[in-house]
């Protein structure tokens, strides 16, 4: 029993690490452009397909495929920002929600049309390696996913904290007008934000594609969950988002394992409600 | 005087037009679209009260619609109760749940509120899909009875064809319009608009913001529940796929499309967005792609809604 429990915990942490990658991208867009991007789940799905096709059609190895997917989705995401999201910067939130929902519907159904619904798997070639320790199972693949997502999150944290662009992003998040007055190119910040968020989503999609499978509708519930993570973690806080992502991963894994698997999509909502009852002002105090 | 006469004449024309409409388009297919337009008109109106007047974005409105449908369907299928009873019970149930949910989530704002209501919608469909002993899961509930005949005085009203439903639906829409018209023109309606415009300011004037928001949410949810009951006893079959988040978004788009803070706008949006997608049927698999692209273009180019934009163009400079 305890072994199963710890095994589920481990799975939950791995799931949480992937959720963190997706939610961090959403959180960046939310913080810097003040937009809700429901198409983020489709970026993640398209990234997974891009990696899949690079492997099956071009025959590149797993890591190269992931890098191709990240670069491809960074470009794609920056282009959507330029041509679709930019016209509505500064408009009420409902506009960005509906706009991105439309984009999400269009992309998901295009993918369904071209790629078909049957689930496919990305083969990393590491699933065969098995580690055992203290009764817990860990495949090489899952270990690699754990390491990769931690590395990516650290890279992101370093990027935001220490690079010029990262500083500019934080400045825009704090006060758009003041940042503009200080000579920051706000439009470039927007493009980079979307590019980074698209690349992270693609990385997450590739890893999920290796762990589970790739399908056109994989993006939808993930994006809702990621929003819950962003809310739970407090907007704009990298640490909070990571913490909340692991919390959601654990709830899903443990709740799915011990309470009911059928209701696993409902747990994040219950967690949210619990939060509102315990801390009416939100996890981080005043919510915006 | 002149203006009143004109209004009366216009109203008379509208009533006559709505009465005659099915005689011009008597094909079952058209009648079905008209009845669906009526249901969506009610849904869009109920959502407009929450989003347009009280200014609280809800992305889970289909949950209340679905709850109403399930309550009414279950009561009439399992216990044989008449539609005329279950209809109101469905509204009451949906209203009660939205009161509870409203009290819980309406202290949140903006995106947080929107996401939380969206997740509530997901929760409801998860329950519909998995609480199989009661809801029959993804298989849905079939064999829902039609409304029983009504005998007021020597008259006899039966509900067997789409035409009958069309006229019943007209009364439904008119009733909801009447209630909402009275509501938004009352002090409470003014309070809602004040909250939408500036909650802090409204609070400082002594408006109980939470109470007004919860009230709008409860009435909106309750009316959506009534619409659900009407839908269930019209289609005679319900399943969870009808009440997903895309349906909630669809309603939001109707509200935005017509223009949010009027009562005419949502009706216009509901009718337009029930009829227009029918032209996309021939697009087959690409239908939802076109819908998504159209939504993107619409938000970029007409963020005020068709009715709002038209009104601005026509009446700009007058007010």
């Amino acid at each position: 029993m305890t072994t199963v429990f710890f095994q589920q915990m481990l799975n939950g942490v791995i799931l949480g690490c992937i959720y963190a990658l997706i939610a961090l991208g959403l959180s960046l867009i939310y913080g810097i452009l003040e937009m809700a991007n429901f198409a983020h789940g489709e970026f993640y799905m398209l990234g997974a397909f891009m990696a899949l096709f690079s492997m099956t059609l071009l025959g590149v190895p797993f890591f190269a495929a992931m890098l191709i997917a990240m670069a491809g989705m960074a470009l794609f995401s920056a282009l959507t920002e330029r041509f679709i999201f930019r016209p509505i910067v500064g408009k009420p939130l409902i506009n960005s929600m509906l706009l991105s929902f439309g984009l999400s519907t269009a992309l998901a159904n295009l993918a369904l049309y071209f790629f078909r619904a049957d689930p496919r798997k990305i083969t990393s070639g590491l699933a065969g390696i098995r580690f055992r320790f203290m009764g817990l199972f860990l495949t090489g693949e899952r270990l690699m996913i754990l390491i990769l997502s931690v590395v990516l999150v650290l890279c992101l944290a370093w990027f935001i904290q220490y690079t010029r662009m990262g500083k500019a992003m934080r400045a825009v998040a704090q006060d758009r007008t003041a940042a503009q007055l200080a000579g920051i190119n706000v439009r470039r910040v927007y493009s980079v934000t979307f590019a980074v968020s698209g690349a992270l989503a693609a990385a997450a999609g590739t890893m999920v594609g290796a762990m589970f499978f790739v399908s056109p509708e994989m993006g939808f519930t993930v994006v809702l969950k990621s929003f819950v993570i962003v809310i739970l973690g407090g907007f704009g806080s990298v640490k909070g988002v990571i913490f909340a992502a692991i919390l959601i991963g654990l709830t899903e894994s443990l709740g799915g394992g011990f309470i009911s698997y059928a209701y696993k999509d409902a747990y994040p909502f219950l967690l949210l409600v619990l939060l509102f009852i315990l801390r009416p002002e939100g996890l981080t105090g005043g919510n915006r | 005087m002149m203006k009143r006469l004109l209004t009366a004449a216009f109203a008379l024309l509208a009533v006559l037009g709505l009465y005659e409409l099915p005689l011009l388009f008597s094909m079952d297919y058209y009648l079905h679209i008209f009845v669906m337009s009526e249901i969506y008109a009610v849904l869009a109106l109920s959502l407009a009260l929450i989003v347009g007047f009280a200014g609280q974005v809800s992305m889970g409105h289909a949950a209340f619609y679905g709850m109403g449908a399930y309550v009414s369907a279950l009561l009439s299928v399992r216990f044989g109760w008449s539609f005329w009873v279950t209809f109101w019970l469905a509204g009451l149930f949906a209203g009660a749940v939205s009161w509870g949910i409203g009290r819980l989530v309406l202290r949140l704002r903006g995106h947080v509120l929107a996401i939380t209501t969206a997740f509530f919608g997901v929760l409801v469909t998860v329950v519909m899909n998995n609480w199989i002993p009661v809801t029959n899961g993804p298989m849905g509930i079939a064999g829902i009875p039609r409304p029983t005949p009504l005998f007021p005085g020597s008259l006899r009203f039966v509900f067997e064809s789409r035409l009958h439903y069309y006229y019943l639906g007209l009364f439904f829409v008119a009733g909801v319009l009447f209630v909402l018209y009275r509501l938004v023109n009352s002090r409470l309606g003014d309070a809602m608009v004040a909250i939408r415009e500036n909650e802090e300011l409204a609070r400082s004037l002594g408006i109980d913001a939470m109470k007004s928001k919860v009230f709008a949410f409860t009435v909106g949810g309750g009316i959506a529940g009534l619409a659900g009951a009407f839908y269930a006893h019209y289609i005679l079959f319900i399943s969870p796929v009808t009440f997903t988040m895309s349906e909630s978004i669809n309603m939001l788009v109707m509200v935005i499309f017509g223009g949010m803070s009027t009562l005419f706008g949502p009706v216009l949006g509901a009718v337009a967005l029930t009829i227009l997608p029918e032209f996309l049927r021939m697009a087959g698999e690409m239908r939802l792609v076109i819908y998504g692209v159209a939504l993107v273009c619409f938000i970029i180019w007409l963020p005020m809604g068709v009715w709002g934009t038209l009104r601005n163009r026509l009446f700009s400079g007058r007010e």
Side-chain angles (χ1 to χ4, degrees):
Chain A
M1 190 64 188
T2 44
T3 325
V4 179
F5 179 78
F6 282 111
Q7 184 71 51
Q8 294 281 17
M9 290 253 311
L10 185 62
N11 292 346
V13 170
I14 294 172
L15 206 58
C17 286
I18 294 179
Y19 285 162
L21 288 181
I22 308 168
L24 280 171
L26 268 185
S27 167
L28 277 180
I29 292 176
Y30 185 87
I32 291 165
L33 284 93
E34 283 166 37
M35 281 182 177
N37 180 17
F38 277 100
H40 197 62
E42 272 60 44
F43 292 177
Y44 151 89
M45 177 267 295
L46 288 177
F49 271 106
M50 215 176 261
L52 177 75
F53 289 136
S54 329
M55 284 176 80
T56 53
L57 302 180
L58 302 177
V60 298
F62 180 78
F63 287 100
M66 190 163 127
L67 286 178
I68 292 174
M70 285 175 73
M73 284 320 290
L75 183 67
F76 181 85
S77 177
L79 285 176
T80 25
E81 187 278 324
R82 175 66 193 81
F83 293 105
I84 295 174
F85 286 92
R86 193 167 296 171
I88 62 156
V89 170
K91 295 268 173 62
L93 71 104
I94 194 170
N95 289 29
S96 70
M97 281 178 356
L98 292 181
L99 177 96
S100 60
F101 189 82
L103 183 64
S104 149
T105 312
L107 290 177
N109 284 285
L110 267 179
L112 192 64
Y113 184 77
F114 285 112
F115 307 150
R116 296 291 140 193
D118 32 80
R120 277 171 276 194
K121 212 171 144 31
I122 294 176
T123 42
S124 64
L126 293 169
I129 308 165
R130 283 166 187 278
F131 299 99
R132 266 194 92 109
F133 99 171
M134 289 162 64
L136 298 185
F137 252 125
L138 189 63
T139 61
E141 192 174 77
R142 295 204 169 201
L143 185 66
M144 171 205 69
I145 286 168
L146 195 61
I147 294 169
L148 266 182
S149 45
V150 170
V151 166
L152 281 173
V153 169
L154 287 178
C155 284
L156 178 73
W158 171 81
F159 177 75
I160 293 175
Q161 201 63 36
Y162 295 110
T163 60
R164 256 187 98 78
M165 186 38 97
K167 284 176 187 160
M169 281 161 85
R170 280 186 289 147
V172 175
Q174 269 179 15
D175 190 331
R176 190 180 295 167
T177 325
Q180 221 154 8
L181 287 173
I184 290 172
N185 185 346
V186 176
R187 292 175 166 197
R188 239 184 90 212
V189 170
Y190 289 164
S191 303
V192 172
T193 306
F194 258 81
V196 168
S197 131
L200 290 179
T206 314
M207 293 193 242
V208 167
M211 223 160 66
F212 304 108
F213 51 80
V214 183
S215 82
E217 61 260 34
M218 67 195 272
F220 189 68
T221 43
V222 162
V223 77
L224 276 181
K225 261 175 227 163
S226 310
F227 271 117
V228 172
I229 291 168
V230 174
I231 294 172
L232 282 174
F235 295 93
S237 148
V238 175
K239 269 186 216 148
V241 167
I242 295 167
F243 175 72
I246 291 175
L247 187 66
I248 292 272
L250 282 176
T251 322
E252 207 176 297
S253 175
L254 292 176
F258 292 103
I259 304 170
S260 156
Y261 186 73
Y263 285 93
K264 78 175 166 65
D265 285 342
Y267 297 141
F269 177 78
L270 299 178
L271 215 58
L272 260 189
V273 170
L274 203 66
L275 171 81
F276 297 148
I277 293 170
L278 295 177
R279 298 237 8 213
E281 295 309 308
L283 204 69
T284 49
N287 47 59
R288 285 185 282 171
Chain B
M1 187 61 203
M2 197 57 200
K3 209 180 161 195
R4 284 188 116 178
L5 260 176
L6 266 175
T7 316
F10 182 75
L12 196 69
L13 263 177
V15 170
L16 267 176
L18 285 171
Y19 176 75
E20 293 285 341
L21 186 68
L23 308 177
L24 293 174
F25 299 92
S26 59
M27 244 168 74
D28 241 19
Y29 169 64
Y30 292 126
L31 281 174
H32 174 66
I33 295 172
F34 293 154
V35 177
M36 287 316 290
S37 311
E38 290 171 341
I39 294 175
Y40 280 120
V42 170
L43 287 170
L45 278 168
S46 66
L47 185 58
L49 180 69
I50 301 170
V51 181
F53 288 92
Q56 310 298 310
V57 178
S58 162
M59 289 181 84
H61 207 55
F64 303 111
Y65 176 43
M67 256 181 244
Y70 267 86
V71 165
S72 184
L74 284 171
L75 288 177
S76 57
V77 170
R78 298 270 159 93
F79 304 113
W81 292 5
S82 159
F83 167 75
W84 305 105
V85 178
T86 60
F87 175 74
W88 298 108
L89 289 177
L92 274 180
F93 183 84
V97 174
S98 44
W99 178 78
I101 292 294
R103 292 202 30 145
L104 204 58
V105 304
L106 282 173
R107 61 168 87 96
L108 310 169
R109 298 209 190 152
H111 287 95
V112 184
L113 175 66
I115 305 299
T116 313
T117 47
F119 237 96
F120 173 70
V122 172
L123 178 75
V124 169
T125 46
V126 167
V127 171
M128 283 173 184
N129 270 315
N130 292 296
W131 196 16
I132 292 168
V134 172
T135 63
N136 204 16
M139 304 278 291
I141 299 170
I144 301 167
R146 292 177 186 280
T148 43
L150 282 182
F151 305 97
S154 57
L155 295 166
R156 184 166 185 275
F157 292 112
V158 291
F159 301 96
E160 276 156 9
S161 71
R162 296 193 195 281
L163 191 65
H164 300 146
Y165 280 100
Y166 171 75
Y167 287 122
L168 183 65
L170 279 186
F171 279 99
F172 188 23
V173 177
V176 169
L177 260 177
F178 174 74
V179 169
L180 290 186
Y181 181 79
R182 292 295 297 268
L183 183 61
V184 300
N185 286 303
S186 69
R187 280 182 65 92
L188 209 58
D190 293 340
M192 287 176 195
V193 175
I195 292 163
R196 180 190 71 200
E197 294 302 327
N198 189 334
E199 190 166 332
E200 274 69 35
L201 193 61
R203 285 251 261 306
S204 76
L205 293 172
I207 293 172
D208 188 342
M210 191 62 192
K211 206 170 127 196
S212 312
K213 287 195 283 187
V214 170
F215 184 77
F217 205 70
T218 309
V219 173
I223 293 175
L226 294 178
F230 188 93
Y231 172 84
H233 292 263
Y234 166 62
I235 301 287
L236 311 181
F237 168 75
I238 52 170
S239 76
V241 290
T242 316
F243 310 109
T244 54
M245 187 172 152
S246 12
E247 192 68 3
S248 300
I249 300 282
N250 204 12
M251 293 175 202
L252 260 183
V253 177
M254 285 170 179
V255 172
I256 308 267
F257 186 83
M260 299 211 273
S261 36
T262 57
L263 286 181
F264 183 66
V267 177
L268 180 83
V271 175
L273 285 179
T274 314
I275 295 174
L276 288 178
E278 292 297 322
F279 293 108
L280 290 179
R281 289 242 175 258
M282 57 197 106
E285 282 181 289
M286 293 302 269
R287 194 171 71 89
L288 283 168
V289 177
I290 298 173
Y291 174 82
V293 172
L295 182 53
V296 169
C297 297
F298 167 69
I299 297 287
I300 292 179
W301 287 316
L302 290 177
M304 307 251 315
V306 171
W307 177 235
T309 309
L310 257 181
R311 209 175 39 174
N312 267 16
R313 290 269 160 82
L314 292 177
F315 305 111
S316 61
R318 263 197 208 180
E319 279 171 54

